[in-house]
Amino acid sequence: MTLLIEQTLNGIQLGLLMFLLAAGLTLVFGIMDLVNLAHGSLYMFGAYFCASFTAWTDSFVLGALLALPAALLLGVIVEVVVARKLYRRDHLDHVLATFGLILIANDLVRLVWGPDGRRIPLPAWLNQPIYLTPDLPYPTYRFAVIVVGAAVALFLYWLVTRTRTGMWIRAGASNRTMIGALGINVEALFTLVFGLGAVLAALAGLMAAPIVTVSIGMGDNILILAFVIIVIGGIGSIKGAFIAAMIVGMIDTLGRALLPDLLKTFLSVAAANTAAPAISSMMIYLLMAGVLVWRPTGLFGARG
């Protein structure tokens, strides 16, 4: 029972991290109709910014807080210099241009930070367990990731559904021509959305950084999973991204934790441990295929 609770919390943590990455991607894709393959590079830059600022300030919290405005500035620069020129082009041009950005970003990181990976040390108060029950210790940092991720999810829900800016964002997703005719500065709105997406991706990267090694290309593989999440949840839907991310996080975490014991009944220990991650990933893609068959626009996408 303890293992199940612990892995459920790990699934929630992974789901919230994936939500932060997918939420920024679905905002950019759903509102600006921009296929941004370089979104994972913003995730990577968030981790590297945090690593540098943490080293300079000798504080992980300060490093994380300084990394977010740096990511916002980077996102605005990318939108103004590159993305703004792609809005009127087709998706193939988006893919080619943003794939080029991935190559540039990876080489830029290699030039600035070097080819070796980096570890971000945690302060002592985050590097010890908390006891959820007398018999259930859980890493404080992982619990903090859950709290921060949930708080950001609530903030996004409030921003999109309860504010005038959110009204403009929702309107932009529905009909950008109309909001332009109503006097809304569409270029400024797109810059805001792209910058917000960059901050969310960087936040996911810097929160994952103490758990994984900060390395070149760390956002490339996770970007595939983020695209899967927005397809399942529905393009442009924050609610869909959240629910899909939680489902994917649970499937991946619980599958990797619980399937080996089940597979050991039929396979050797080594084969079971090898097969469990592959089966977990397969279940996620089967879920995506099932959603596409049942509802091609995603669970919470607009019915076409």
Side-chain angles (χ1 to χ4, degrees):
M1 187 62 181
T2 299
L3 175 63
L4 179 60
I5 295 174
E6 182 178 358
Q7 294 304 323
T8 299
L9 289 172
N10 287 340
I12 293 172
Q13 175 223 300
L14 176 61
L16 287 169
L17 282 176
M18 292 307 307
F19 165 71
L20 294 176
L21 185 63
L25 187 62
T26 198
L27 282 173
V28 171
F29 196 5
I31 295 172
M32 302 159 67
D33 196 29
L34 176 69
V35 182
N36 182 20
L37 296 185
H39 195 70
S41 297
L42 298 171
Y43 172 91
M44 174 183 66
F45 273 111
Y48 272 99
F49 285 153
C50 183
S52 292
F53 288 131
T54 298
W56 293 345
T57 62
D58 199 28
S59 169
F60 170 71
V61 175
L62 282 177
L65 292 176
L66 291 172
L68 295 180
L72 175 62
L73 178 60
L74 177 62
V76 169
I77 292 173
V78 171
E79 195 278 335
V80 171
V81 175
V82 179
R84 191 171 291 182
K85 297 176 174 58
L86 299 174
Y87 296 146
R88 298 185 183 277
R89 296 179 177 267
D90 59 29
H91 287 163
L92 179 59
D93 289 338
H94 299 176
V95 170
L96 292 174
T98 55
F99 180 75
L101 284 179
I102 294 176
L103 302 180
I104 293 171
N106 289 343
D107 283 341
L108 181 61
V109 168
R110 184 176 288 106
L111 179 66
V112 175
W113 283 280
D116 297 330
R118 295 192 174 202
R119 301 289 298 182
I120 297 181
L122 290 172
W125 61 277
L126 284 175
N127 204 18
Q128 57 188 353
I130 59 172
Y131 286 84
L132 303 178
T133 69
D135 299 324
L136 181 58
Y138 193 72
T140 300
Y141 180 71
R142 288 181 180 269
F143 189 77
V145 170
I146 294 175
V147 172
V148 172
V152 173
L154 289 173
F155 168 76
L156 282 177
Y157 173 79
W158 171 80
L159 176 68
V160 173
T161 63
R162 295 288 188 268
T163 66
R164 183 177 295 273
T165 301
M167 179 182 67
W168 295 341
I169 291 174
R170 297 196 310 275
S174 300
N175 193 325
R176 70 178 70 178
T177 303
M178 181 59 71
I179 66 168
L182 292 174
I184 306 301
N185 188 328
V186 178
E187 283 192 354
L189 178 64
F190 280 11
T191 301
L192 171 66
V193 171
F194 198 94
L196 177 60
V199 170
L200 292 173
L203 179 59
L206 69 88
M207 287 200 301
I211 301 173
V212 301
T213 300
V214 180
S215 60
I216 296 172
M218 62 182 291
D220 297 346
N221 292 331
I222 201 170
L223 181 67
I224 299 173
L225 201 55
F227 271 111
V228 170
I229 287 170
I230 66 171
V231 168
I232 294 173
I235 295 172
S237 172
I238 296 295
K239 177 181 178 181
F242 178 80
I243 293 176
M246 298 307 295
I247 293 173
V248 168
M250 287 296 182
I251 291 175
D252 186 74
T253 303
L254 294 180
R256 291 171 186 267
L258 303 180
L259 277 178
D261 290 335
L262 179 62
L263 294 176
K264 286 173 188 175
T265 308
F266 312 100
L267 304 172
S268 66
V269 173
N273 291 334
T274 302
I279 294 175
S280 298
S281 297
M282 188 185 305
M283 291 169 62
I284 293 171
Y285 292 108
L286 287 174
L287 172 63
M288 181 184 70
V291 169
L292 288 175
V293 170
W294 170 59
R295 184 178 171 120
T297 56
L299 295 177
F300 295 93
R303 291 186 182 274

